Amino acid sequence: MSSERPDVLIAGAGIGGLCCGLALARSGRSSRILERSVDVAEAGAGIQIGPNGMRILQKLGVATHLSGFAAAPRGIHIRDGITGSTLNWLPLGDWIEQRHGAPYWTAHRADLQAALLAAVRRVSEIEIVPGFEVGAVFTSDSGVAVTAIDRRTAEAPVLIGSDGVRSTVRAAMFGEALPLYSGKTAARAVITAVGGLPDDMLENVGVWLAPGAHVVHYPVRGGDELAVVVVVQEPSTGECWNTSVDATAVYERVAMLAPELGKLLRRAD
């Protein structure tokens, strides 16, 4: 870690923290990003990025790194989950880019994270410190001091908390605030064997609506894979928000909520 004091400390090297560092660098401000993990990598599945988000990624120089790994869906195909019949189709592709001045992309979170890291590593004003888990935050007239679990320290005039839903920075400044269960669970999976799927599924965002639930799928990895998200209204299971779920369980839930989609996914599995 450099001994030079940066303009800003950022807790967390996730999507938000890396974007924040790039945005600060554009205005000539240096930042030091403190990341608890030793390896800066994003887990998870897919992410949809609308024109507002894409416009920011373009300005930050990230879109060029992501372009080969993202997909640009032609539209959003909305279906009845039970019958599989089309309810509506909303255009994306060229239409939305011409209307809003930026495209609509879908990507794997790991690919977005890699693109952000590639952009960050080309900017001298940003330093990433891996393995720095924020343990305590202290404020003074001269700025903010952060102490890590391993007793390392970092100081700057400003600290930005981008350290997730259970933010240590937020808790230090405003007290503990545990997230509340919304009444819905979301299970995600990524299908790699997409050769048996129809072109419609690989060219569009799909939304299948069912009572108290819905299923969303969209292409990632340049269209070579398909991200699937199942959202169900149900009582809290008491499990952590990022608990692993067996892919078979996700497919079984899809088959129950949207039988026609379940048949298509079984064909690809």
Side-chain angles (χ1 to χ4, degrees), residues 74-168:
R74 294 190 303 108
I76 302 176
H77 192 171
I78 305 172
R79 302 175 189 250
D80 182 299
I82 305 301
T83 66
S85 61
T86 297
L87 300 177
N88 206 343
W89 188 86
L90 308 174
L92 295 175
D94 294 338
W95 178 85
I96 200 166
E97 183 170 6
Q98 293 171 6
R99 178 174 181 176
H100 296 287
Y104 191 109
W105 283 3
T106 55
H108 197 289
R109 285 180 174 271
D111 292 335
L112 175 56
Q113 180 87 357
L116 287 165
L117 279 171
V120 163
R121 286 168 177 156
R122 298 182 60 174
V123 179
S124 60
E125 292 88 353
I126 305 174
E127 178 190 6
I128 298 179
V129 183
F132 191 112
E133 182 175 354
V134 176
V137 178
F138 307 94
T139 61
S140 66
D141 292 340
S142 62
V144 184
V146 175
T147 302
I149 298 297
D150 61 7
R151 304 292 185 180
R152 284 182 294 170
T153 61
E155 297 183 10
V158 177
L159 168 65
I160 297 175
S162 295
D163 50 342
V165 66
R166 290 179 172 83
S167 169
T168 301

Coordinates of all heavy atoms in Angstrom, one line a residue, residues 74-168:
R74 N -32.5 -8.1 -28.7 CA -33.4 -7.4 -29.6 C -34.6 -6.8 -29.0 O -35.2 -5.8 -29.4 CB -33.8 -8.4 -30.8 CG -32.7 -8.8 -31.7 CD -33.3 -9.6 -32.9 NE -34.1 -10.7 -32.6 CZ -35.5 -10.7 -32.7 NH1 -36.1 -9.6 -33.2 NH2 -36.2 -11.8 -32.4
G75 N -35.1 -7.5 -27.9 CA -36.3 -7.0 -27.2 C -36.6 -7.8 -26.0 O -35.8 -8.6 -25.5
I76 N -37.7 -7.5 -25.3 CA -38.2 -8.2 -24.1 C -39.4 -8.9 -24.5 O -40.5 -8.3 -24.8 CB -38.4 -7.2 -23.0 CG1 -37.2 -6.4 -22.7 CG2 -38.9 -7.9 -21.7 CD1 -37.4 -5.3 -21.6
H77 N -39.4 -10.2 -24.4 CA -40.5 -11.1 -24.8 C -41.2 -11.5 -23.5 O -40.7 -12.2 -22.7 CB -40.0 -12.3 -25.6 CG -41.1 -13.1 -26.2 ND1 -40.9 -14.1 -27.1 CD2 -42.5 -13.0 -26.1 CE1 -42.0 -14.6 -27.5 NE2 -43.0 -14.0 -26.9
I78 N -42.5 -11.0 -23.3 CA -43.2 -11.3 -22.1 C -44.3 -12.3 -22.4 O -45.1 -12.2 -23.4 CB -43.9 -10.0 -21.6 CG1 -42.9 -8.9 -21.4 CG2 -44.7 -10.2 -20.3 CD1 -43.4 -7.5 -21.1
R79 N -44.3 -13.4 -21.6 CA -45.2 -14.5 -21.8 C -46.0 -14.9 -20.6 O -45.7 -14.6 -19.5 CB -44.4 -15.8 -22.2 CG -43.6 -15.6 -23.5 CD -42.8 -16.9 -23.6 NE -41.8 -16.9 -24.6 CZ -41.8 -17.5 -25.8 NH1 -42.8 -18.3 -26.1 NH2 -40.8 -17.4 -26.7
D80 N -47.2 -15.5 -20.9 CA -47.9 -16.1 -19.8 C -47.2 -17.4 -19.3 O -46.9 -18.3 -20.1 CB -49.3 -16.5 -20.3 CG -50.2 -17.1 -19.2 OD1 -49.8 -18.2 -18.7 OD2 -51.3 -16.6 -19.0
G81 N -46.8 -17.4 -18.0 CA -46.0 -18.6 -17.5 C -46.7 -19.9 -17.7 O -46.0 -20.9 -17.9
I82 N -48.0 -20.0 -17.5 CA -48.7 -21.2 -17.6 C -48.9 -21.7 -19.0 O -48.6 -22.9 -19.3 CB -50.1 -21.1 -16.9 CG1 -49.9 -20.6 -15.5 CG2 -50.8 -22.4 -16.9 CD1 -49.1 -21.4 -14.6
T83 N -49.4 -20.9 -19.9 CA -49.6 -21.3 -21.3 C -48.5 -21.1 -22.2 O -48.4 -21.8 -23.3 CB -50.9 -20.6 -21.8 OG1 -50.5 -19.2 -22.0 CG2 -52.1 -20.7 -20.9
G84 N -47.6 -20.2 -21.9 CA -46.5 -19.9 -22.8 C -46.8 -18.9 -23.9 O -46.0 -18.6 -24.7
S85 N -48.1 -18.5 -23.9 CA -48.5 -17.5 -25.0 C -47.9 -16.1 -24.8 O -47.6 -15.7 -23.7 CB -50.0 -17.4 -25.0 OG -50.5 -16.9 -23.8
T86 N -47.7 -15.5 -25.9 CA -47.1 -14.1 -25.8 C -48.1 -13.1 -25.3 O -49.2 -13.0 -25.8 CB -46.6 -13.7 -27.2 OG1 -45.6 -14.6 -27.7 CG2 -46.1 -12.3 -27.2
L87 N -47.6 -12.3 -24.3 CA -48.5 -11.2 -23.8 C -48.0 -9.9 -24.5 O -48.9 -9.0 -24.7 CB -48.3 -11.1 -22.3 CG -48.8 -12.3 -21.5 CD1 -48.5 -12.1 -20.0 CD2 -50.3 -12.6 -21.8
N88 N -46.7 -9.7 -24.7 CA -46.2 -8.5 -25.3 C -44.8 -8.7 -25.7 O -44.1 -9.6 -25.3 CB -46.3 -7.3 -24.3 CG -46.4 -6.0 -25.0 OD1 -46.1 -5.9 -26.2 ND2 -46.8 -4.9 -24.3
W89 N -44.3 -7.8 -26.6 CA -42.9 -7.8 -27.0 C -42.5 -6.4 -27.1 O -43.1 -5.6 -27.8 CB -42.7 -8.5 -28.3 CG -41.2 -8.7 -28.7 CD1 -40.4 -9.7 -28.3 CD2 -40.4 -7.9 -29.5 NE1 -39.2 -9.6 -28.8 CE2 -39.2 -8.4 -29.6 CE3 -40.7 -6.6 -30.2 CZ2 -38.1 -7.8 -30.3 CZ3 -39.6 -6.1 -30.9 CH2 -38.4 -6.7 -30.9
L90 N -41.4 -6.0 -26.3 CA -41.0 -4.6 -26.2 C -39.6 -4.5 -26.9 O -38.7 -5.3 -26.6 CB -40.8 -4.1 -24.8 CG -42.1 -4.4 -23.9 CD1 -41.8 -4.0 -22.5 CD2 -43.2 -3.5 -24.5
P91 N -39.4 -3.6 -27.8 CA -38.2 -3.5 -28.6 C -37.0 -3.0 -27.8 O -37.2 -2.1 -26.9 CB -38.5 -2.5 -29.7 CG -39.6 -1.6 -29.2 CD -40.4 -2.5 -28.3
L92 N -35.8 -3.5 -28.0 CA -34.6 -3.0 -27.4 C -33.7 -2.8 -28.6 O -34.0 -2.0 -29.5 CB -34.0 -4.1 -26.4 CG -34.8 -4.3 -25.2 CD1 -34.2 -5.4 -24.3 CD2 -34.9 -3.0 -24.3
G93 N -32.5 -3.4 -28.7 CA -31.6 -3.4 -29.8 C -31.3 -2.0 -30.3 O -31.1 -1.0 -29.6
D94 N -31.4 -1.8 -31.7 CA -31.1 -0.5 -32.3 C -32.1 0.5 -31.9 O -31.8 1.7 -31.7 CB -31.1 -0.7 -33.8 CG -29.9 -1.5 -34.3 OD1 -28.9 -1.6 -33.5 OD2 -30.0 -2.0 -35.4
W95 N -33.4 0.1 -31.7 CA -34.4 1.1 -31.4 C -34.1 1.8 -30.1 O -34.2 3.0 -30.0 CB -35.8 0.3 -31.3 CG -36.9 1.3 -30.9 CD1 -37.7 2.0 -31.8 CD2 -37.4 1.5 -29.6 NE1 -38.6 2.7 -31.1 CE2 -38.5 2.4 -29.7 CE3 -37.1 1.1 -28.3 CZ2 -39.2 2.9 -28.6 CZ3 -37.8 1.5 -27.2 CH2 -38.8 2.4 -27.4
I96 N -33.8 1.1 -29.0 CA -33.6 1.8 -27.7 C -32.3 2.6 -27.7 O -32.2 3.6 -27.1 CB -33.6 0.7 -26.6 CG1 -33.9 1.5 -25.3 CG2 -32.3 -0.1 -26.5 CD1 -34.3 0.5 -24.1
E97 N -31.3 2.1 -28.5 CA -30.0 2.8 -28.6 C -30.2 4.2 -29.3 O -29.7 5.2 -28.9 CB -29.0 2.0 -29.3 CG -27.6 2.7 -29.3 CD -26.5 1.8 -29.8 OE1 -26.7 0.7 -30.2 OE2 -25.3 2.3 -29.7
Q98 N -31.0 4.2 -30.4 CA -31.3 5.4 -31.1 C -32.2 6.3 -30.3 O -32.0 7.6 -30.3 CB -32.0 5.1 -32.4 CG -31.1 4.4 -33.4 CD -31.9 3.9 -34.6 OE1 -33.0 4.1 -34.8 NE2 -31.2 3.1 -35.5
R99 N -33.1 5.8 -29.5 CA -34.0 6.6 -28.7 C -33.2 7.3 -27.5 O -33.5 8.4 -27.2 CB -35.2 5.8 -28.2 CG -36.1 6.6 -27.3 CD -37.3 5.8 -26.9 NE -38.2 6.6 -26.1 CZ -39.4 6.2 -25.7 NH1 -39.9 5.0 -26.1 NH2 -40.2 6.9 -24.9
H100 N -32.4 6.5 -26.8 CA -31.8 7.0 -25.6 C -30.3 7.3 -25.7 O -29.7 7.7 -24.7 CB -32.0 5.9 -24.5 CG -33.4 5.7 -24.1 ND1 -34.1 6.7 -23.4 CD2 -34.3 4.7 -24.4 CE1 -35.4 6.2 -23.3 NE2 -35.5 5.1 -23.8
G101 N -29.7 7.0 -26.9 CA -28.3 7.4 -27.1 C -27.3 6.4 -26.5 O -26.1 6.7 -26.4
A102 N -27.7 5.2 -26.0 CA -26.9 4.2 -25.5 C -27.6 2.9 -25.6 O -28.8 2.8 -25.6 CB -26.5 4.5 -24.1
P103 N -26.9 1.7 -25.7 CA -27.5 0.5 -25.9 C -28.0 -0.2 -24.6 O -27.8 0.4 -23.5 CB -26.4 -0.4 -26.5 CG -25.2 0.2 -25.9 CD -25.4 1.7 -25.8
Y104 N -28.7 -1.3 -24.7 CA -29.2 -2.1 -23.6 C -28.4 -3.4 -23.7 O -28.6 -4.2 -24.6 CB -30.7 -2.3 -23.8 CG -31.4 -3.0 -22.6 CD1 -32.2 -2.2 -21.8 CD2 -31.2 -4.3 -22.2 CE1 -32.9 -2.8 -20.7 CE2 -31.8 -4.9 -21.1 CZ -32.7 -4.1 -20.4 OH -33.3 -4.7 -19.3
W105 N -27.6 -3.7 -22.7 CA -26.7 -4.9 -22.8 C -27.1 -5.8 -21.6 O -27.6 -5.4 -20.6 CB -25.3 -4.5 -22.6 CG -24.6 -4.0 -23.9 CD1 -25.3 -3.8 -25.1 CD2 -23.3 -3.7 -24.1 NE1 -24.4 -3.3 -26.0 CE2 -23.2 -3.2 -25.5 CE3 -22.1 -3.7 -23.3 CZ2 -21.9 -2.8 -26.0 CZ3 -20.9 -3.3 -23.9 CH2 -20.8 -2.8 -25.2
T106 N -26.8 -7.1 -21.8 CA -26.9 -8.1 -20.7 C -25.5 -8.7 -20.6 O -24.9 -9.0 -21.6 CB -28.0 -9.1 -21.0 OG1 -27.8 -9.7 -22.3 CG2 -29.4 -8.5 -21.0
A107 N -25.1 -9.0 -19.4 CA -23.8 -9.6 -19.2 C -23.7 -10.4 -18.0 O -24.6 -10.4 -17.1 CB -22.7 -8.4 -19.1
H108 N -22.7 -11.2 -17.9 CA -22.4 -11.9 -16.6 C -21.7 -11.0 -15.7 O -20.8 -10.2 -16.1 CB -21.5 -13.2 -16.9 CG -21.4 -14.2 -15.8 ND1 -20.8 -13.9 -14.6 CD2 -21.9 -15.4 -15.7 CE1 -20.9 -15.0 -13.8 NE2 -21.6 -15.9 -14.5
R109 N -22.0 -11.0 -14.4 CA -21.4 -10.1 -13.5 C -19.9 -10.2 -13.4 O -19.1 -9.3 -13.2 CB -22.0 -10.3 -12.1 CG -23.4 -9.8 -11.9 CD -23.9 -10.0 -10.5 NE -25.2 -9.3 -10.3 CZ -25.3 -8.1 -9.9 NH1 -24.3 -7.4 -9.6 NH2 -26.5 -7.5 -9.8
A110 N -19.4 -11.5 -13.6 CA -17.9 -11.7 -13.6 C -17.3 -10.9 -14.7 O -16.1 -10.4 -14.6 CB -17.6 -13.1 -13.6
D111 N -17.9 -10.9 -15.9 CA -17.4 -10.2 -17.0 C -17.4 -8.7 -16.8 O -16.5 -8.0 -17.2 CB -18.2 -10.6 -18.3 CG -17.9 -12.0 -18.7 OD1 -16.9 -12.6 -18.4 OD2 -18.8 -12.6 -19.4
L112 N -18.5 -8.2 -16.2 CA -18.5 -6.8 -15.9 C -17.4 -6.4 -14.9 O -16.7 -5.4 -15.1 CB -19.9 -6.4 -15.4 CG -20.0 -4.9 -14.9 CD1 -19.7 -3.9 -16.0 CD2 -21.5 -4.7 -14.4
Q113 N -17.2 -7.2 -13.9 CA -16.2 -7.0 -12.9 C -14.8 -7.0 -13.6 O -14.0 -6.1 -13.3 CB -16.2 -8.0 -11.8 CG -15.2 -7.9 -10.8 CD -15.6 -7.0 -9.6 OE1 -16.7 -6.4 -9.7 NE2 -14.8 -6.8 -8.6
A114 N -14.6 -7.9 -14.5 CA -13.3 -8.0 -15.2 C -13.1 -6.8 -16.1 O -11.9 -6.3 -16.2 CB -13.2 -9.3 -16.0
A115 N -14.1 -6.3 -16.7 CA -14.0 -5.1 -17.5 C -13.7 -3.9 -16.7 O -12.9 -3.0 -17.1 CB -15.3 -4.9 -18.3
L116 N -14.3 -3.8 -15.5 CA -14.0 -2.7 -14.6 C -12.6 -2.7 -14.1 O -11.9 -1.7 -14.1 CB -15.0 -2.7 -13.5 CG -16.4 -2.3 -13.8 CD1 -17.4 -2.7 -12.6 CD2 -16.5 -0.8 -14.0
L117 N -12.1 -3.9 -13.8 CA -10.7 -4.0 -13.3 C -9.8 -3.7 -14.4 O -8.7 -3.0 -14.2 CB -10.5 -5.5 -12.8 CG -11.0 -5.8 -11.4 CD1 -10.9 -7.3 -11.2 CD2 -10.2 -5.0 -10.4
A118 N -10.1 -4.1 -15.6 CA -9.2 -3.8 -16.8 C -9.1 -2.3 -16.9 O -8.0 -1.7 -17.2 CB -9.7 -4.4 -18.0
A119 N -10.2 -1.6 -16.8 CA -10.2 -0.1 -16.9 C -9.5 0.5 -15.8 O -8.7 1.5 -16.0 CB -11.6 0.4 -17.0
V120 N -9.7 0.0 -14.6 CA -9.0 0.6 -13.4 C -7.5 0.5 -13.4 O -6.8 1.4 -13.1 CB -9.6 -0.1 -12.1 CG1 -8.7 0.2 -10.9 CG2 -11.0 0.4 -11.8
R121 N -7.0 -0.7 -13.9 CA -5.6 -0.9 -13.9 C -4.9 0.0 -14.9 O -3.6 0.0 -14.9 CB -5.3 -2.4 -14.2 CG -5.6 -3.2 -13.0 CD -5.7 -4.7 -13.3 NE -5.9 -5.5 -12.1 CZ -6.4 -6.7 -12.0 NH1 -6.8 -7.3 -13.2 NH2 -6.6 -7.3 -10.9
R122 N -5.6 0.7 -15.8 CA -5.0 1.6 -16.7 C -5.0 3.0 -16.2 O -4.5 3.9 -16.9 CB -5.8 1.5 -18.1 CG -5.7 0.2 -18.7 CD -6.5 0.1 -20.1 NE -5.9 1.1 -21.0 CZ -6.3 1.2 -22.3 NH1 -7.2 0.4 -22.7 NH2 -5.7 2.0 -23.1
V123 N -5.5 3.2 -15.0 CA -5.6 4.5 -14.4 C -4.6 4.6 -13.2 O -4.8 3.9 -12.2 CB -7.0 4.8 -14.0 CG1 -7.1 6.2 -13.3 CG2 -8.0 4.7 -15.2
S124 N -3.6 5.5 -13.3 CA -2.6 5.6 -12.2 C -3.2 6.2 -11.0 O -2.6 6.0 -9.9 CB -1.4 6.4 -12.7 OG -1.9 7.8 -13.1
E125 N -4.3 6.9 -11.0 CA -4.8 7.6 -9.8 C -5.6 6.6 -8.9 O -6.0 7.0 -7.8 CB -5.8 8.7 -10.3 CG -5.2 9.9 -10.9 CD -5.1 9.7 -12.4 OE1 -5.4 8.6 -12.9 OE2 -4.7 10.7 -13.1
I126 N -5.7 5.4 -9.3 CA -6.5 4.4 -8.5 C -5.6 3.3 -8.0 O -4.8 2.7 -8.8 CB -7.6 3.8 -9.3 CG1 -8.5 4.8 -9.9 CG2 -8.4 2.8 -8.4 CD1 -9.6 4.3 -10.8
E127 N -5.6 3.0 -6.7 CA -4.9 2.0 -6.1 C -5.8 1.0 -5.4 O -6.7 1.4 -4.7 CB -3.9 2.5 -5.1 CG -3.1 1.4 -4.4 CD -2.3 1.9 -3.2 OE1 -2.4 3.1 -2.8 OE2 -1.5 1.1 -2.6
I128 N -5.7 -0.3 -5.7 CA -6.5 -1.3 -5.0 C -5.7 -2.0 -4.0 O -4.6 -2.5 -4.3 CB -7.1 -2.3 -6.0 CG1 -8.0 -1.6 -7.1 CG2 -7.9 -3.4 -5.3 CD1 -8.6 -2.6 -8.1
V129 N -6.2 -2.1 -2.8 CA -5.5 -2.8 -1.7 C -6.3 -4.0 -1.3 O -7.3 -3.9 -0.6 CB -5.4 -1.9 -0.4 CG1 -4.6 -2.6 0.6 CG2 -4.7 -0.6 -0.8
P130 N -5.9 -5.2 -1.8 CA -6.6 -6.4 -1.5 C -6.4 -6.9 -0.1 O -5.4 -6.6 0.6 CB -6.1 -7.4 -2.5 CG -4.7 -6.9 -2.8 CD -4.8 -5.5 -2.7
G131 N -7.3 -7.7 0.5 CA -7.1 -8.3 1.8 C -7.2 -7.2 2.9 O -6.8 -7.5 4.1
F132 N -7.8 -6.1 2.7 CA -8.0 -5.0 3.7 C -9.5 -5.0 4.1 O -10.3 -4.4 3.4 CB -7.6 -3.7 3.1 CG -7.5 -2.6 4.1 CD1 -6.3 -2.0 4.4 CD2 -8.6 -2.1 4.8 CE1 -6.1 -1.0 5.3 CE2 -8.5 -1.0 5.7 CZ -7.3 -0.5 6.0
E133 N -9.8 -5.7 5.2 CA -11.1 -5.7 5.7 C -11.3 -4.6 6.7 O -10.7 -4.6 7.8 CB -11.5 -7.1 6.3 CG -12.9 -7.2 6.8 CD -13.3 -8.6 7.3 OE1 -12.4 -9.5 7.2 OE2 -14.4 -8.7 7.8
V134 N -12.2 -3.7 6.4 CA -12.5 -2.6 7.3 C -13.0 -3.0 8.7 O -14.0 -3.8 8.7 CB -13.4 -1.5 6.7 CG1 -13.8 -0.4 7.7 CG2 -12.8 -1.0 5.4
G135 N -12.3 -2.6 9.7 CA -12.8 -3.0 11.1 C -13.4 -1.9 11.9 O -14.3 -2.0 12.7
A136 N -12.8 -0.7 11.7 CA -13.3 0.5 12.4 C -13.0 1.8 11.6 O -12.2 1.8 10.7 CB -12.5 0.6 13.8
V137 N -13.9 2.8 11.8 CA -13.8 4.0 11.1 C -13.8 5.2 12.2 O -14.6 5.2 13.1 CB -15.0 4.2 10.2 CG1 -15.0 5.6 9.5 CG2 -15.1 3.1 9.2
F138 N -12.8 6.1 12.0 CA -12.7 7.2 12.9 C -12.7 8.5 12.1 O -12.0 8.6 11.0 CB -11.4 7.1 13.7 CG -11.2 5.8 14.4 CD1 -10.5 4.8 13.9 CD2 -11.8 5.6 15.7 CE1 -10.4 3.6 14.5 CE2 -11.7 4.4 16.4 CZ -10.9 3.4 15.8
T139 N -13.4 9.5 12.6 CA -13.4 10.8 11.9 C -12.7 11.9 12.7 O -12.7 11.7 14.0 CB -14.8 11.2 11.6 OG1 -15.6 11.4 12.8 CG2 -15.6 10.2 10.7
S140 N -12.2 12.9 12.1 CA -11.5 14.0 12.7 C -11.7 15.2 11.9 O -12.2 15.2 10.8 CB -10.0 13.7 13.0 OG -9.3 13.6 11.8
D141 N -11.1 16.3 12.3 CA -11.2 17.6 11.5 C -10.4 17.5 10.2 O -10.7 18.2 9.3 CB -10.7 18.7 12.4 CG -11.6 19.1 13.6 OD1 -12.8 18.7 13.5 OD2 -11.1 19.7 14.5
S142 N -9.4 16.6 10.2 CA -8.6 16.5 9.0 C -9.1 15.4 8.0 O -8.5 15.2 7.0 CB -7.2 16.1 9.4 OG -7.1 14.9 10.1
G143 N -10.1 14.6 8.4 CA -10.6 13.6 7.5 C -11.1 12.3 8.2 O -11.6 12.4 9.3
V144 N -10.8 11.2 7.6 CA -11.2 9.9 8.0 C -10.1 8.9 8.1 O -9.2 8.9 7.2 CB -12.3 9.3 7.1 CG1 -12.9 8.0 7.6 CG2 -13.4 10.3 6.9
A145 N -10.0 8.1 9.2 CA -9.1 7.1 9.3 C -9.8 5.7 9.4 O -10.8 5.6 10.1 CB -8.2 7.3 10.6
V146 N -9.3 4.8 8.7 CA -9.8 3.4 8.7 C -8.8 2.4 9.2 O -7.7 2.5 8.8 CB -10.3 3.0 7.2 CG1 -10.8 1.6 7.2 CG2 -11.3 4.0 6.7
T147 N -9.2 1.6 10.1 CA -8.4 0.5 10.6 C -8.9 -0.8 10.1 O -10.1 -1.1 10.2 CB -8.4 0.5 12.1 OG1 -7.9 1.8 12.6 CG2 -7.4 -0.6 12.7
A148 N -8.0 -1.7 9.6 CA -8.3 -3.0 9.1 C -8.4 -4.0 10.3 O -7.8 -3.7 11.4 CB -7.4 -3.5 8.1
I149 N -8.9 -5.1 10.0 CA -8.9 -6.2 11.0 C -7.5 -6.6 11.4 O -7.3 -6.9 12.6 CB -9.7 -7.4 10.5 CG1 -11.2 -7.1 10.2 CG2 -9.6 -8.6 11.5 CD1 -12.0 -6.7 11.4
D150 N -6.6 -6.5 10.5 CA -5.2 -6.9 10.7 C -4.4 -5.7 11.2 O -3.1 -5.8 11.2 CB -4.6 -7.5 9.5 CG -4.5 -6.6 8.3 OD1 -4.9 -5.4 8.5 OD2 -4.1 -7.0 7.2
R151 N -5.0 -4.6 11.6 CA -4.4 -3.4 12.3 C -3.8 -2.5 11.3 O -3.2 -1.4 11.7 CB -3.3 -3.9 13.3 CG -3.8 -4.8 14.4 CD -4.8 -4.1 15.3 NE -5.1 -5.0 16.4 CZ -6.0 -4.6 17.4 NH1 -6.5 -3.4 17.3 NH2 -6.3 -5.4 18.4
R152 N -3.8 -2.7 10.0 CA -3.3 -1.7 9.0 C -4.3 -0.5 9.0 O -5.4 -0.7 9.4 CB -3.3 -2.3 7.6 CG -2.1 -3.2 7.3 CD -2.1 -3.7 5.9 NE -3.3 -4.6 5.7 CZ -3.6 -5.0 4.4 NH1 -3.0 -4.6 3.4 NH2 -4.7 -5.8 4.3
T153 N -3.8 0.6 8.7 CA -4.6 1.8 8.7 C -4.5 2.5 7.3 O -3.5 2.3 6.5 CB -4.1 2.8 9.8 OG1 -2.8 3.2 9.5 CG2 -4.3 2.2 11.1
A154 N -5.5 3.3 7.0 CA -5.5 4.2 5.8 C -6.2 5.4 6.2 O -7.2 5.4 7.0 CB -6.2 3.4 4.7
E155 N -5.8 6.6 5.6 CA -6.4 7.9 5.9 C -6.6 8.6 4.6 O -5.9 8.5 3.6 CB -5.5 8.7 6.8 CG -5.3 8.1 8.2 CD -4.4 9.0 9.1 OE1 -4.2 10.1 8.7 OE2 -4.0 8.5 10.1
A156 N -7.6 9.5 4.6 CA -8.0 10.4 3.5 C -9.0 11.4 4.0 O -9.6 11.2 5.0 CB -8.5 9.6 2.3
P157 N -9.1 12.5 3.2 CA -10.1 13.5 3.6 C -11.6 12.9 3.5 O -12.5 13.4 4.2 CB -9.9 14.6 2.6 CG -8.5 14.4 2.1 CD -8.3 13.0 2.1
V158 N -11.8 11.9 2.7 CA -13.1 11.4 2.4 C -13.1 9.9 2.4 O -12.2 9.3 1.9 CB -13.7 11.9 1.1 CG1 -15.0 11.4 0.8 CG2 -13.7 13.5 1.1
L159 N -14.2 9.3 2.9 CA -14.4 7.8 2.8 C -15.7 7.5 2.2 O -16.7 8.1 2.6 CB -14.3 7.2 4.2 CG -14.8 5.7 4.3 CD1 -13.8 4.8 3.5 CD2 -14.9 5.3 5.8
I160 N -15.7 6.7 1.2 CA -17.0 6.3 0.5 C -17.2 4.8 0.8 O -16.3 3.9 0.6 CB -16.9 6.5 -1.0 CG1 -16.8 8.0 -1.3 CG2 -18.2 5.9 -1.7 CD1 -16.6 8.3 -2.8
G161 N -18.4 4.4 1.3 CA -18.7 3.1 1.6 C -19.4 2.4 0.4 O -20.5 2.7 0.1
S162 N -18.7 1.4 -0.2 CA -19.2 0.6 -1.2 C -19.0 -0.9 -0.9 O -18.7 -1.7 -1.7 CB -18.5 0.9 -2.6 OG -18.8 2.2 -3.0
D163 N -19.2 -1.2 0.4 CA -18.9 -2.5 0.9 C -20.1 -3.4 1.2 O -20.1 -4.2 2.1 CB -18.0 -2.4 2.2 CG -18.6 -1.4 3.2 OD1 -19.5 -0.6 2.9 OD2 -18.2 -1.5 4.4
G164 N -21.1 -3.2 0.3 CA -22.2 -4.2 0.3 C -23.4 -4.0 1.2 O -23.4 -3.0 1.9
V165 N -24.3 -5.0 1.2 CA -25.5 -4.8 1.9 C -25.3 -4.8 3.4 O -26.1 -4.2 4.1 CB -26.5 -6.0 1.5 CG1 -26.0 -7.3 1.9 CG2 -27.9 -5.7 2.0
R166 N -24.3 -5.5 3.9 CA -23.9 -5.4 5.3 C -22.7 -4.5 5.5 O -21.7 -5.0 6.0 CB -23.7 -6.8 5.9 CG -25.0 -7.6 5.9 CD -24.8 -9.0 6.4 NE -26.0 -9.7 6.7 CZ -26.7 -10.4 5.8 NH1 -26.3 -10.4 4.5 NH2 -27.9 -11.0 6.1
S167 N -22.8 -3.3 5.1 CA -21.7 -2.4 5.1 C -21.1 -2.0 6.5 O -21.9 -1.6 7.3 CB -22.2 -1.1 4.4 OG -21.2 0.0 4.6
T168 N -19.9 -2.3 6.6 CA -19.2 -1.9 7.9 C -19.1 -0.4 8.0 O -19.2 0.2 9.1 CB -17.8 -2.5 7.9 OG1 -17.8 -3.9 7.8 CG2 -17.0 -2.1 9.2

